């Protein structure tokens, strides 16, 4: 493929979000050689799988495990075709290799709830192709072997025959088959059955290894002081006293900040307090979230914008007009693990250890920043202490690499919680105006107009420079970002393609250009757009004097899949069958291919309103691991409740005001409701589960609060009072 | 200062600034990395260890406070002969962990709760566990797993890793 073509595919995949280009299993087309993490003497049929001389299968985990369960899920897919049980596979974090690229995004990236959806075929094909080779080799070795038996039995028979080494050599000479027959779902032994998490044991005994836990000999601890105001750079600094404080080794200016390097994190942090820095700020230091909100309202007043969707004829928008305006704040990711990375950079070799969702973005960005060729960079992924989109960015790893390069020694960069919250790439703040026309208690049109910064416009320049060939003009990614930002599909996702039928439907996006760094945050545009749409649909139901659930069913009558979820939700939640002082709210939303409906039940007691229960119905296609699907629904709901009740990042004069869990609180155990999940049976291909439970919970809560108080809250976070 | 204390049954002498939080001493000087850093302000519980059996936030506890004390970390919980503490068994059965980053702290808080209160009510669990944040939202399973562990603990009898002297065997 030409460079131009590849570049085009990468950019358009990033920009288009859902560009499906079809895939071929890369392993089938290329001869296995030079794969990373190759074990000595092991038989390797493709990038994913090896069989060692000891007879152990090893799977390369090509997606980042950040809690969503890919460690178990990928092992289950591979084990299925190898007739193994998932725990029999040894699993390693994959290093970068082009065969691990996501077929839609063209990058080795974990995001968009795509891991299982887009690996369902690839990983099974890799395993089935390997199984085919192993069977064929067995026949060639000994024609009397029964190759129809399960693979493990066949392999033991080969072993018992005493010619194992010869067998591996023989198998190594067989090419992958041109066509692979995958198991039929009715024969699945593991998929849909296996219900344990393979990484749980290490995670409850303290053995699971996150970036911060990697032991690199001679690595010193570094902290990086950055300007509290966005966009600030070092003008001058004084570090004599800091340098004299105990265990401090070096203090250097690097990448818009001052790095303090010491033997021990706490010593580095302590010395950092003694460094005096004068900062030089730019326009971003004038940023105020309150002003940005007003600006968005003005933008919505204009005729500007990109028409993301128009269905039907405007003439049919008849009746009385009703309009409501909603807004959501910026949000930080607040992964439980503050960002951390280890780098060992010398002139001809870069070794990196961190948890990240996008290894080739990391390698590209580090190559660009250090001037060292990509082929000399190796990145060792670790368990992620949460990701939620934050770790699609390479910023903290680039910092670690630059500090190591400047200091001439391996270093471990550790962010504080305060830095993690104040130097995030935030979920954009957004404002939406939704309007409808209603004729005789029947809605005839829906028009949504949303204004927000573009995540894509921020992400493209942040990652593209490292991905593009060096000879391209520096300005290209910025140019591409500028073009795509105006029509960033993620800004309107969920408002467009809704299941609701109106005689006339339209959705516009008005880009807000601003200096605040924004990024992908669990469920991206859906995280706010579901709140806008599902609150407004609820308002319409009340205006039309209809039951909110029945009203939705009526409006989505032509969409069978949505209707099936809504009906199941009605019975699971015992919709409408309430005791005195109980109130319910409903919301349903499709994202990442999966439909999730949620009913939230409030009860009113002596301490006011309490969230008693959330009932959740999910249709995510074929299920690989039912308990992980349930866990992801619980997780998405609780994550979304934090946003619905607490989350808010304020910026005053360019400085993020929140800093730690006292002023950026997360939902706690005592506030966590009972959650019941029902998974609907499906024979459709697997869809996403990591994100889709988050979008419906904020509107379900807002709608329940309206039922309880008669007061409509149109801005997040919501008040329970 | 020279800090003398016992960690997971093993006596240690470590040179440290008395003000250095115990968390960093454990992680960096003793390489016990199971105890995690989440906030550094006593707000999240990721760094929970036991000092003389009581759950404490090691990120805000100066090393000097551990002088002469008995410290237990996640590495010292239920590892004898590959056996798990009932809390860990319940955690496994309920598939509690997701990203897992908060889980060392969760397990330490839950073990301490059950040591002092073998049959906790939901309110007791709220009180003991609400200081431990979990961004992945494993709370419903944590609650269920504690109830499960409580039922097993009653059957299996009281457990204390220090009394059992478990860790002498594995460290040398
Ligand atoms: S790290 Fe100690 S309580 Fe958060
Ligand atoms: S399991 Fe991820 S923070 Fe608790």
């Amino acid at each position: 493929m030409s460079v131009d073509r590849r570049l085009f595919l990468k950019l358009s995949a990033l920009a288009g979000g859902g560009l499906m280009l079809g895939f071929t299993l890369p392993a089938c087309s290329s001869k296995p050689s030079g794969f990373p993490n190759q074990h000595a003497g092991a038989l390797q049929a493709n990038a994913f799988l090896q069989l060692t001389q000891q007879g152990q299968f090893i799977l390369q985990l090509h997606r980042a495990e950040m809690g969503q369960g890919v460690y178990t899920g990928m092992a289950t897919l591979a084990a299925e075709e190898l007739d193994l049980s998932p725990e029999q596979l040894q699993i390693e974090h994959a290093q970068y290799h082009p065969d691990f690229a996501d077929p839609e995004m063209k990058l080795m990236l974990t995001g968009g709830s795509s891991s299982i959806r887009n690996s369902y075929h690839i990983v099974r094909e890799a395993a089935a192709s390997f199984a085919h080779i192993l069977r064929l080799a067995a026949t060639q070795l000994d024609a009397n072997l029964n190759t129809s038996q399960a693979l493990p039995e066949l392999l033991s028979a080969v072993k018992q025959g005493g010619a194992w080494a010869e067998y591996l050599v023989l198998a190594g000479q067989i090419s992958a088959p041109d066509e692979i027959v995958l198991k039929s779902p009715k024969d699945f032994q593991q998929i849909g059955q296996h219900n344990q998490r393979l990484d749980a044991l290490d995670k409850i005994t303290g053995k699971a290894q996150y970036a911060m836990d990697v032991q690199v000999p001679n690595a010193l601890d570094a902290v990086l002081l950055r300007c509290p105001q966005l966009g600030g750079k070092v003008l001058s600094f004084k570090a004599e006293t800091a340098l004299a404080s105990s265990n401090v080794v070096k203090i250097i200016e690097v990448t818009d900040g001052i790095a303090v390097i010491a033997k021990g994190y706490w010593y580095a942090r302590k010395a950092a307090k003694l460094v005096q820095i004068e900062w030089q700020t730019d326009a971003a230091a004038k940023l105020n979230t309150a002003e940005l909100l007003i600006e968005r309202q003005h933008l919505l007043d204009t005729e500007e914008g990109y028409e993301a969707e128009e269905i039907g004829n405007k003439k049919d928008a008849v009746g009385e007009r009703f309009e409501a305006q909603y807004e959501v704040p910026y949000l930080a990711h607040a992964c439980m693990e503050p960002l951390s990375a280890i780098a060992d950079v010398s002139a001809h070799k870069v070794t990196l250890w961190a948890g990240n969702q996008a290894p080739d973005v990391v390698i590209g960005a580090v190559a660009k920043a250090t001037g060292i060729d990509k082929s000399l960079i190796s990145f060792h992924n670790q368990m992620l202490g949460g990701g939620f989109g934050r770790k699609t960015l390479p910023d903290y790893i680039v910092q670690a690499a630059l500090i190591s390069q400047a200091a001439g020694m391996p270093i471990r960069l550790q962010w504080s919680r305060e830095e993690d919250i104040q130097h995030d790439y935030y979920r954009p703040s957004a404002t939406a105006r939704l309007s409808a026309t209603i004729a005789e208690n029947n809605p005839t049109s829906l028009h949504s107009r949303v204004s927000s910064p573009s995540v894509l416009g921020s992400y493209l320049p942040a990652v593209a420079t490292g991905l593009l060939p060096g000879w391209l003009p520096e300005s290209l990614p910025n140019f591409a970002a500028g073009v795509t930002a105006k029509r960033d599909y993620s800004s309107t996702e969920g408002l467009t393609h809704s299941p609701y039928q109106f005689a006339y439907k339209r959705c516009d996006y008005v880009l807000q250009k601003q200096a605040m760094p924004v990024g992908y945050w669990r469920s991206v545009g859906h995280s706010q757009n579901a709140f806008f749409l599902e609150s407004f649909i609820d308002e319409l139901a009340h205006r039309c004097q209809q039951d909110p659930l029945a009203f939705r069913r009526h409006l989505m009558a032509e969409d069978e899949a949505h209707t099936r979820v809504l009906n199941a939700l009605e019975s699971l939640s015992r919709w409408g069958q309430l005791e005195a002082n109980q109130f319910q709210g409903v919301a349903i939303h499709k994202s990442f291919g999966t439909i999730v409906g949620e009913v939230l039940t409030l009860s009113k007691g002596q301490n006011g309103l309490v969230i008693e229960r959330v009932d959740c119905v999910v249709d995510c296609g074929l299920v690989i691991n039912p308990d992980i699907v349930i866990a992801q629904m619980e997780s998405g709901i609780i994550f979304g409740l934090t946003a619905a009740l607490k989350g808010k990042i304020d910026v005053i004069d360019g400085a993020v005001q929140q800093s730690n869990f006292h002023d950026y609180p997360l939902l706690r155990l005592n506030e966590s409701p009972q959650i019941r999940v029902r998974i609907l049976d499906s024979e459709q291909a697997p869809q996403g589960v990591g994100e889709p439970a988050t979008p419906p919970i904020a509107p379900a809560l807002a709608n329940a609060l309206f039922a309880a108080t008669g007061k409509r809250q149109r801005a997040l976070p919501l008040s329970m009072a | 200062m020279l800090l003398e204390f016992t960690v997971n049954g093993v006596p240690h002498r470590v040179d440290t600034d008395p003000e250095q939080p115990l968390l960093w001493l454990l992680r960096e000087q003793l390489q016990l990395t199971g105890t995690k850093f989440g906030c550094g302000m006593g707000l999240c519980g990721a760094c929970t260890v036991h000092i003389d059996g009581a759950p404490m936030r090691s990120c805000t506890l100066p090393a000097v406070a551990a002088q002469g004390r008995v410290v237990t970390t996640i590495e010292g919980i239920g590892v004898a002969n590959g056996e798990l503490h009932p809390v860990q068994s319940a955690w496994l059965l309920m598939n509690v962990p997701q990203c897992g980053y908060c889980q060392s702290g969760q397990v330490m808080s839950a073990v301490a709760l059950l040591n002092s209160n073998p049959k906790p009510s939901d309110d007791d669990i709220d009180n003991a566990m609400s200081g431990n944040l979990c961004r992945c939202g494993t709370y419903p399973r944590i609650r269920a797993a504690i109830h499960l562990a409580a039922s097993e603990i009653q059957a299996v009898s009281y457990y204390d890793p220090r009394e059992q002297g478990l860790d002498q065997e594995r460290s040398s």
Side-chain angles (χ1 to χ4, degrees):
Chain A
M1 204 184 331
S2 74
V3 174
D4 289 48
R5 171 95 185 124
R6 244 188 341 247
L7 164 64
F8 168 76
L9 288 179
K10 269 185 181 168
L11 280 179
S12 50
L14 276 170
L19 193 69
M20 210 20 189
L21 290 153
F23 69 89
T24 49
L25 175 65
C28 296
S29 52
S30 57
K31 257 281 164 214
S33 66
F35 290 114
N37 289 356
Q38 207 154 11
H39 287 244
L43 168 66
Q44 178 143 28
N46 49 54
F48 291 89
L49 285 157
Q50 303 173 53
L51 178 61
T52 68
Q53 285 178 316
Q54 291 71 39
Q56 173 68 52
F57 281 98
I58 301 176
L59 172 71
Q60 298 302 310
L61 180 63
H62 69 307
R63 296 295 184 129
E65 173 58 62
M66 42 193 174
Q68 86 283 38
V70 290
Y71 189 90
T72 309
M74 295 302 168
T76 306
L77 294 178
E80 184 67 67
E81 299 293 338
L82 293 168
D83 303 328
L84 296 172
S85 146
E87 61 271 13
Q88 288 174 291
L89 288 162
Q90 185 180 317
I91 302 167
E92 293 177 347
H93 297 289
Q95 289 191 51
Y96 170 74
H97 189 277
D99 287 2
F100 295 134
D102 182 274
E104 284 176 20
M105 295 178 278
K106 305 288 163 200
L107 290 172
M108 184 175 175
L109 188 146
T110 309
S113 292
S114 68
S115 293
I116 292 294
R117 188 173 76 226
N118 290 346
S119 305
Y120 179 59
H121 288 289
I122 293 177
V123 172
R124 282 193 306 147
E125 282 178 24
S129 138
F130 199 13
H132 175 91
I133 291 171
L134 291 171
R135 284 180 195 285
L136 206 61
T139 356
Q140 290 181 5
L141 184 75
D142 177 353
N144 294 325
L145 282 168
N146 167 15
T147 50
S148 67
Q149 59 187 327
L151 192 62
E153 275 89 74
L154 180 64
L155 293 179
S156 335
V158 171
K159 260 198 182 151
Q160 271 161 20
W164 180 252
E166 191 188 327
Y167 171 72
L168 288 186
V169 173
L170 203 58
Q173 288 157 1
I174 301 175
S175 321
D178 292 337
E179 269 178 31
I180 306 154
V181 183
L182 299 177
K183 271 193 194 170
S184 149
K186 66 176 183 354
D187 298 326
F188 285 162
Q189 302 281 313
Q190 306 298 338
I191 293 175
Q193 319 288 322
H194 181 77
N195 234 352
Q196 290 299 306
R197 275 193 80 109
L198 300 178
D199 52 354
L201 182 61
D202 280 353
K203 288 177 173 176
I204 57 173
T205 50
K207 292 197 187 79
Q209 186 170 285
Y210 304 85
M212 202 191 295
D213 307 329
V214 179
Q215 303 292 321
V216 173
N218 306 323
L220 295 182
D221 295 280
V223 301
L224 182 64
L225 294 164
R226 294 165 74 192
C227 182
Q229 285 168 297
L230 295 162
K233 296 189 188 346
V234 178
L235 194 62
S236 66
F237 74 105
K238 276 212 210 84
E240 290 78 24
T241 7
L243 208 47
S245 97
S246 65
N247 282 14
V248 173
V249 174
K250 249 184 198 174
I251 299 181
I252 48 177
E253 180 177 346
V254 58
T255 177
D256 301 347
I258 301 296
V260 179
I261 304 172
K263 293 187 184 113
Y265 171 76
W266 178 76
Y267 296 96
R269 195 55 79 189
K270 194 176 167 200
K273 294 201 183 94
L274 304 172
V275 181
Q276 292 167 304
I277 310 172
E278 230 186 293
W279 300 102
Q280 179 180 19
T281 57
D282 61 14
K286 298 205 178 72
L287 216 63
N288 283 290
T289 37
E291 289 167 15
L292 288 174
L293 167 65
I294 296 168
E295 184 186 279
R296 278 197 304 276
Q297 293 176 354
H298 291 322
L299 284 170
L300 289 175
D301 287 338
T302 65
E303 295 290 306
E304 305 273 295
Y306 160 67
E307 190 180 279
E309 182 177 79
E310 186 176 33
I311 298 171
N313 196 327
K314 199 171 181 180
K315 282 205 315 283
D316 296 328
V318 293
E320 190 192 343
R321 190 162 181 281
F322 166 61
E323 180 184 277
Q325 178 174 299
Y326 303 87
E327 67 184 68
V328 298
Y330 289 98
L331 292 175
H333 295 78
C335 300
M336 213 62 232
E337 170 196 33
L339 292 168
S340 175
I342 305 170
D344 187 358
V345 178
S346 59
H348 302 295
K349 190 166 170 258
V350 178
T351 316
L352 306 163
W353 296 263
N356 191 278
Q357 296 173 236
D360 53 3
V361 169
V362 167
I363 291 172
V366 170
K368 181 91 185 163
T370 58
I372 297 172
D373 193 78
K374 283 185 194 181
S375 62
L376 303 171
I377 301 175
S378 63
F379 169 60
H380 301 274
N381 220 346
Q382 307 296 321
M383 286 288 183
L384 275 61
F388 313 119
R390 175 62 180 92
K391 294 169 187 168
T392 55
L393 284 148
D395 54 326
Y396 53 106
I397 307 176
V398 170
Q399 290 169 356
L402 288 173
I403 296 170
S404 171
Q405 188 176 39
M409 57 175 77
I411 61 98
R412 172 194 318 273
L413 172 67
Q414 179 63 58
W415 286 32
S416 65
R417 171 57 58 194
E418 288 76 9
E419 290 161 347
D420 195 90
I421 288 184
Q422 300 189 328
H423 295 282
D424 201 347
Y425 288 74
Y426 304 89
R427 196 286 304 271
S429 181
T431 305
R433 256 175 227 165
L434 279 78
S435 60
T437 44
I438 304 172
E440 292 164 15
N441 278 353
N442 268 317
T444 54
S445 73
L446 176 73
H447 183 186
S448 41
R449 230 174 121 66
V450 55
S451 179
S452 72
S454 159
V455 176
L456 190 64
S458 162
Y459 190 69
L460 264 188
V463 303
T465 40
L467 295 173
L468 303 178
W471 49 263
L472 278 170
E474 289 273 337
S475 57
L476 185 76
N478 288 323
F479 173 74
V483 172
T484 49
K486 284 190 197 132
R487 35 182 75 198
D488 183 350
Y489 70 97
S490 74
S491 303
T492 52
E493 61 186 355
L495 287 170
T496 54
H497 307 293
S498 90
Y500 300 118
Q501 298 276 320
F502 292 86
Y504 178 67
K505 251 200 312 196
R506 178 174 161 173
C507 176
D508 307 329
Y509 171 51
V510 193
L511 169 68
Q512 181 179 36
K513 291 190 193 138
Q514 43 93 71
M516 183 95 168
V518 292
Y520 292 100
W521 188 96
R522 197 176 197 171
S523 79
V524 197
H526 296 284
S527 72
Q528 68 264 19
N529 292 335
F531 171 66
F532 302 151
L533 181 61
E534 282 295 273
S535 295
F536 190 68
I537 293 288
D538 218 69
E539 297 208 48
L540 288 182
H542 290 287
R543 293 224 140 212
C544 297
Q545 297 171 0
Q546 291 180 42
D547 171 77
L549 194 142
F551 182 74
R552 284 175 171 79
R553 182 159 44 215
H554 177 69
L555 276 179
M556 58 172 61
E558 284 173 31
D559 187 317
E560 275 174 41
H562 274 84
T563 305
R564 189 167 78 120
V565 171
L566 200 62
N567 288 342
L569 184 61
E570 182 175 35
S571 64
L572 178 70
S573 67
R574 302 167 53 110
W575 176 258
Q577 301 169 44
L578 298 170
E579 288 165 28
N581 295 327
Q582 278 188 330
F583 309 91
Q584 286 178 321
V586 61
I588 182 168
H589 193 80
K590 181 176 182 177
S591 58
F592 311 97
T594 289
I595 305 170
V596 178
E598 289 164 9
V599 166
L600 181 145
T601 305
L602 291 169
S603 64
K604 196 171 189 168
Q606 282 171 341
N607 302 325
L609 289 166
V610 174
I611 304 173
E612 192 178 286
R613 195 176 80 228
V614 175
D615 293 294
C616 167
V617 174
V618 51
D619 177 357
C620 58
L622 188 131
V623 169
I624 310 300
N625 184 312
D627 199 54
I628 290 181
V629 172
I630 294 173
Q632 283 311 295
M633 294 303 112
E634 294 166 350
S635 175
I637 288 167
I638 290 170
F639 193 89
L641 278 176
T642 288
L645 285 167
K646 298 167 190 273
K648 192 168 197 281
I649 288 290
D650 299 302
V651 176
I652 298 179
D653 295 334
V656 172
Q657 301 299 297
Q658 287 75 14
S659 62
N660 206 319
F661 296 126
H662 62 289
D663 55 9
Y664 192 75
L666 308 181
L667 205 76
R668 291 180 180 272
L669 178 129
N670 61 326
E671 303 163 303
S672 171
Q674 188 201 343
I675 298 172
R676 299 193 299 206
V677 178
R678 182 182 293 168
I679 306 172
L680 297 187
D681 282 337
S682 169
E683 280 164 16
Q684 305 294 314
Q687 301 297 325
V689 297
E691 301 171 86
T694 297
I697 196 63
L701 176 58
N703 296 342
L705 284 168
F706 177 78
T709 63
K711 212 176 101 207
R712 178 59 64 177
Q713 297 185 53
R714 298 192 180 100
L716 295 185
L718 304 165
S719 154
M720 290 288 282
Chain B
M1 68 172 282
L2 199 60
L3 178 70
E4 297 191 43
F5 67 148
T6 302
V7 184
N8 300 333
V10 184
H12 283 277
R13 304 176 73 184
V14 192
D15 189 28
T16 177
D17 184 311
E19 295 289 308
Q20 175 178 214
L22 183 61
L23 169 66
W24 300 107
L25 190 150
L26 291 170
R27 288 186 50 86
E28 294 172 357
Q29 283 163 272
L30 304 188
Q31 264 115 51
L32 292 170
T33 54
T35 306
K36 299 298 188 229
F37 165 57
C39 69
M41 277 181 75
L43 299 167
C44 77
C47 62
T48 306
V49 299
H50 298 174
I51 311 279
D52 292 340
M56 304 282 259
R57 307 296 188 231
S58 65
C59 70
T60 48
L61 194 79
V64 64
Q67 185 70 270
R69 304 295 192 94
V70 172
V71 176
T72 308
T73 68
I74 186 69
E75 288 89 350
I77 299 293
V79 282
N81 315 319
E83 267 184 39
L84 294 174
H85 186 280
V87 162
Q88 291 167 317
S89 308
W91 247 242
L92 264 193
L93 274 170
M94 301 298 305
N95 279 336
V96 174
Q98 289 185 29
C99 84
Y101 195 79
C102 72
Q103 296 296 335
S104 299
Q106 304 283 4
V107 168
M108 295 310 287
S109 291
V111 168
L113 165 65
L114 290 172
N115 282 346
S116 64
N117 179 355
K119 198 83 193 166
S121 66
D122 275 334
D123 280 349
D124 297 336
I125 294 174
D126 279 353
N127 285 334
M129 300 300 297
S130 291
N132 286 81
L133 288 173
C134 174
R135 183 57 158 154
C136 300
T138 62
Y139 302 132
R141 288 167 189 245
I142 287 174
R143 185 186 300 284
I146 290 176
H147 285 307
L148 180 67
S151 56
E152 289 187 3
I153 279 174
Q154 300 234 312
V156 175
S157 92
Y158 183 77
Y159 175 96
D160 181 343
R162 282 167 297 128
E163 272 173 22
Q164 321 259 330
L166 296 177
D167 277 275
Q168 275 91 339
E169 301 172 15
R170 53 189 278 278
S171 34
S172 48

